[in-house]
Amino acid sequence: MEDIKQKVKDFILSELRKRVGDIENINMEENFIESGVIDSFGFLELLMSIEQEFNIHINFAELDPSEFTTLEGLVFHCGKAIAL
Amino acid sequence: MTITKSTKSIVSGFLKAVGEFPDRPALEVDDQTYTYQQLGKRAQDIAASIKAYELTANSLAGVLGYRSFSAYAGVLGVLISGKGYVPLNPEFPTERTFRMISLSKVNVLIVGNECLKELKNLLPLIKQSLTIILPDTEAQEDLVKNYPVHRYIFSSDMPDHQDPVKEPEVDGEGTAYLLFTSGSTGIPKGVPVSHNNVISYVEYICDRYDVNEHDRFSQTFDMTFDLSVHDMFVCWQREACLCSIPQKSVMAPAKFINEKKLTMWFSVPSVAMFMSKFRMLNPGVYPTLRCSLFCGEPFSSVLAAQWQEAAPNSVVENLYGPTEATIAISYHTWDSNSTPEKCTNGIVPIGTIFDGQKCRLIDKQHNVAATGQPGELCLSGSQVTKGYLNNPEKTRSQYIKIPSVGENTWYRTGDLVKQDEDGCLYYLGRIDNQVQILGHRVELQEVDHALRKASGTEMALSVAWPIKDGMAAGVVGFIGGQNNAEEAQIFEYCRSELPEYMVPRKLYFIKDIPLNSNGKMDRLQLKEMLDKGMSA
């Protein structure tokens, strides 16, 4: 599981780097959108590329955005979907 | 017939509820529930502070608050004091908020604790003496010391009012709230909306949706967006409960809707678009909703159909209306059988004008357009405002007489529409350069203006882009010619001048900005370049 999570995290960071440039100071618990790292449309695009890359469908229906708009939350929920 | 002057305030309905049903829930915010009594008490204390310290005749007061108890109590308190409120937004650039304070000439600010940081950014800019009421902030010595020109009322200084709340005496034509919309000259335009305007709207809507005390309302909109007035005052008019959605949940509020058992939903269509992409619109997932309203941008029929399936017990309606005509003025009820064939370009019609309000379509010469022909939509009636704040020129150009239809004043919306035999209106586009971005009204000239100042060249133009499901997701900027302007500096300037949704998402430096046949810089050609895949 930790392997998968690391892979997802690396992928997200590389995608973020492509989209917003320098992300050295990104914090695991920081909300991407609130802190202005990415806007909501950008986040949606990021999500689509994650789903495509790992060939997964994440079920967000039961989640509040605060649970998946941090790096930690996103990695957790993607990891869970991959492990299924 | 005798005409009695209306003296009803938009806060009257709320005050009646405080008197009759003090223990009913009025507001849920930050995981706390406040009864009508509790919210009314705080609002009354704020009103008492305003009355005690504001000695000028200014009829407006500012509220700098964000989805908090103090923000809602602040709005109510200002109204109970007999003044109109000017909503200010801590998410806006400080310069813009400062401009709103200057233009509205407010002498009183109600500030929620969540906006203390923004207040400290603002104070160095403000020269005139203000009364600053901070109902949930303990005494701050640094404020008093660094900005002694103002009078501060902290939580411990708040009066503790025990008398029953008295109805304010207001002039029905007086301002209930003052909002600012994007202005093409780079200066936001103030739109004063009267108590009579809002009461017309609220009474019509309460009857139309049979709002009652068991209803639970969503509150998705920032207070600087007039659709928030619907949330607050339609809800409180009928003793219902308002559920304020935290900003970080607004984008995709599936869990919020079900946890709070909402019955009344109101948002921009973009929210439905996000929820659709997050697979949050599965059939039957929102059984508690009985009324779902969308307003602020074109509503795609695909999303309307999905929402209807997700909320099977709900009526789904597309509302339409500019700030100048008070919140919304027309509706179309989604019907999965008949609406799809009425959609143009996959967009739900803006529908039928509310009972009691009037519309006409005019051509370029301001003559009434022939039946079935496209024309600019003009509005008249009790919901239509009287003009812009201190801007007679703009007022004259937008609030007009149409000679062939009598003495009424008509507000020109700038929206190009057509109307069928049944009176149903179809949105076709804008006659000018205004666009909707995530429901916010944006004059592209205002973005152009910022780009030109930032880059030092007149050869700069903005384009609404990309377009997703008929809605503009943002703005991009083009800078022409040999230009030494640094990209980072341009972004920085735009961020300091414009709200986030107006800041270009991307800048393109090109040699020549294409011109149209009149020799003007051509937005359309730039958009075509983007369509052809110029974006990386």
Side-chain angles (χ1 to χ4, degrees):
Chain A
M1 186 68 183
E2 286 312 306
D3 269 13
I4 298 172
K5 278 191 182 171
Q6 191 58 46
K7 250 170 103 177
V8 175
K9 190 178 159 188
D10 290 344
F11 180 75
I12 294 171
L13 290 176
S14 74
E15 284 293 301
L16 280 177
R17 226 167 269 133
K18 259 194 258 169
R19 282 157 213 275
V20 297
D22 179 30
I23 45 156
E24 259 168 48
N25 297 322
I26 200 160
N27 177 321
M28 283 300 281
E29 287 107 46
E30 180 180 58
N31 186 305
F32 289 144
I33 296 168
E34 272 190 342
S35 62
V37 172
I38 196 166
D39 66 9
S40 40
F41 280 95
F43 181 75
L44 202 55
E45 286 166 5
L46 169 68
L47 206 66
M48 306 254 163
S49 48
I50 298 172
E51 292 199 333
Q52 208 173 19
E53 172 77 13
F54 296 99
N55 196 20
I56 49 169
H57 276 300
I58 306 160
N59 183 10
F60 292 102
E62 307 286 313
L63 301 177
D64 186 81
S66 58
E67 297 168 62
F68 58 81
T69 46
T70 61
L71 187 54
E72 189 173 34
L74 190 59
V75 168
F76 174 77
H77 289 289
C78 293
K80 217 166 97 181
I82 297 168
L84 274 178
Chain B
M1 194 178 82
T2 48
I3 297 168
T4 43
K5 207 171 151 200
S6 160
T7 55
K8 228 158 97 184
S9 157
I10 64 167
V11 82
S12 299
F14 173 81
L15 293 177
K16 192 162 161 273
V18 173
E20 292 177 8
F21 307 101
D23 298 327
R24 280 195 186 148
L27 173 68
E28 292 186 14
V29 61
D30 296 333
D31 293 323
Q32 290 270 335
T33 302
Y34 299 93
T35 62
Y36 275 89
Q37 170 70 35
Q38 289 165 327
L39 182 56
K41 169 79 171 73
R42 176 59 64 90
Q44 187 186 15
D45 291 347
I46 292 171
S49 317
I50 297 173
K51 282 187 170 166
Y53 297 106
E54 155 74 324
L55 303 171
T56 69
N58 193 311
S59 61
L60 298 170
V63 178
L64 178 59
Y66 199 74
R67 297 176 196 256
S68 68
F69 181 47
S70 288
Y72 299 101
V75 165
L76 288 165
V78 170
L79 290 166
I80 293 171
S81 81
K83 295 182 188 295
Y85 74 95
V86 184
L88 302 169
N89 193 333
E91 303 279 310
F92 281 8
T94 305
E95 275 288 336
R96 196 176 184 87
T97 300
F98 168 65
R99 220 172 287 159
M100 292 174 178
I101 292 172
S102 310
L103 290 168
S104 59
K105 301 193 173 73
V106 294
N107 297 310
V108 181
L109 281 188
I110 320 297
V111 183
N113 186 262
E114 71 285 357
C115 297
L116 204 55
K117 194 174 146 224
E118 182 58 11
L119 177 68
K120 288 177 181 172
N121 295 335
L122 267 169
L123 286 177
L125 305 174
I126 298 174
K127 299 286 172 280
Q128 81 274 25
S129 168
L130 298 178
T131 296
I132 300 171
I133 302 172
L134 301 112
D136 57 353
T137 300
E138 284 174 21
Q140 302 270 315
E141 273 178 33
D142 61 324
L143 281 183
V144 182
K145 210 176 88 201
N146 296 337
Y147 308 102
V149 57
H150 309 295
R151 180 197 304 277
Y152 300 91
I153 299 160
F154 295 106
S155 53
S156 54
D157 311 323
M158 292 291 289
D160 183 11
H161 229 275
Q162 298 301 337
D163 308 336
V165 191
K166 268 204 257 140
E167 280 247 354
E169 278 180 34
V170 299
D171 170 5
E173 289 300 311
T175 303
Y177 58 85
L178 172 71
L179 286 190
F180 288 90
T181 67
S182 173
S184 52
T185 54
I187 300 169
K189 287 195 302 253
V191 183
V193 181
S194 74
H195 290 280
N196 288 348
N197 293 146
V198 186
I199 288 168
S200 275
Y201 174 85
V202 168
E203 287 181 350
Y204 174 80
I205 293 288
C206 282
D207 289 343
R208 174 167 181 77
Y209 302 113
D210 198 15
V211 179
N212 64 66
E213 74 273 20
H214 303 296
D215 277 319
R216 296 177 57 78
F217 277 69
S218 66
Q219 213 276 288
T220 65
F221 303 104
D222 281 1
M223 282 184 182
T224 35
F225 199 161
D226 67 339
L227 302 180
S228 65
V229 177
H230 165 111
D231 297 341
M232 292 186 277
F233 291 96
V234 172
C235 173
W236 293 330
Q237 182 76 13
R238 292 281 174 93
E239 302 104 37
C241 182
L242 187 68
C243 301
S244 178
I245 306 191
Q247 194 207 10
K248 56 184 189 297
S249 303
V250 168
M251 173 179 73
K255 199 172 175 183
F256 189 90
I257 294 174
N258 284 329
E259 273 184 2
K260 293 287 180 185
K261 298 191 168 58
L262 298 185
T263 62
M264 307 294 274
W265 179 258
F266 195 18
S267 75
V268 289
S270 294
V271 174
M273 192 274 289
F274 280 110
M275 291 171 75
S276 166
K277 302 269 199 260
F278 286 125
R279 291 181 283 280
M280 289 177 174
L281 293 182
N282 296 331
V285 291
Y286 306 117
T288 59
L289 290 179
R290 69 175 191 86
C291 185
S292 307
L293 308 177
F294 295 90
C295 191
E297 56 191 341
F299 190 22
S300 125
S301 59
V302 175
L303 293 175
Q306 280 183 18
W307 190 282
Q308 181 69 81
E309 280 200 29
N313 306 318
S314 175
V315 57
V316 176
E317 291 199 340
N318 183 28
L319 299 187
Y320 159 86
T323 300
E324 290 86 340
T326 313
I327 308 167
I329 198 165
S330 78
Y331 68 94
H332 179 84
T333 312
W334 173 260
D335 177 324
S336 36
N337 296 318
S338 64
T339 305
E341 62 192 50
K342 285 189 141 190
C343 293
T344 39
N345 305 323
I347 300 298
V348 179
I350 57 177
T352 313
I353 294 284
F354 291 174
D355 289 343
Q357 311 299 320
K358 292 183 280 290
C359 76
R360 287 284 187 284
L361 277 57
I362 58 168
D363 63 19
K364 279 188 179 144
Q365 286 74 41
H366 292 194
N367 298 315
V368 175
T371 314
Q373 289 301 306
E376 182 181 0
L377 180 63
C378 295
L379 300 167
S380 184
S382 54
Q383 280 184 216
V384 177
T385 55
K386 297 244 181 317
Y388 298 105
L389 180 76
N390 302 330
N391 196 338
E393 198 182 330
K394 194 72 196 164
T395 300
R396 261 196 306 278
S397 77
Q398 293 308 116
Y399 293 78
I400 60 162
K401 305 270 186 221
I402 306 174
S404 58
V405 284
E407 273 306 294
N408 289 350
T409 297
W410 296 83
Y411 168 67
R412 292 174 54 192
T413 61
D415 287 327
L416 192 67
V417 303
K418 66 179 185 188
Q419 190 170 31
D420 68 17
E421 307 81 36
D422 304 326
C424 181
L425 295 163
Y426 301 83
Y427 179 78
L428 302 174
R430 288 290 302 175
I431 64 159
D432 54 21
N433 291 315
Q434 195 187 96
V435 294
Q436 305 286 335
I437 293 169
L438 299 176
H440 298 281
R441 209 162 122 170
V442 173
E443 298 280 359
L444 288 175
Q445 286 112 313
E446 187 173 2
V447 183
D448 298 346
H449 184 79
L451 285 174
R452 283 168 201 168
K453 279 193 96 169
S455 64
T457 170
E458 284 303 299
M459 298 296 277
L461 214 57
S462 60
V463 177
W465 181 267
I467 310 289
K468 293 185 182 174
D469 291 331
M471 296 175 272
V475 184
V476 298
F478 286 84
I479 313 284
Q482 296 292 337
N483 203 287
N484 300 322
E486 290 279 340
E487 186 171 22
Q489 280 172 3
I490 298 178
F491 277 126
E492 194 185 323
Y493 181 81
C494 289
R495 279 195 201 102
S496 73
E497 281 289 305
L498 304 170
E500 199 199 322
Y501 55 85
M502 289 173 73
V503 175
R505 290 154 60 91
K506 212 167 181 171
L507 291 176
Y508 296 95
F509 292 85
I510 58 176
K511 197 163 151 277
D512 296 305
I513 299 261
L515 304 178
N516 68 12
S517 52
N518 298 327
K520 287 190 178 165
M521 288 185 280
D522 193 347
R523 246 182 261 278
L524 212 59
Q525 285 190 52
L526 290 172
K527 189 174 168 295
E528 281 166 9
M529 284 159 64
L530 290 165
D531 280 331
K532 283 183 194 137
M534 181 169 174
S535 66

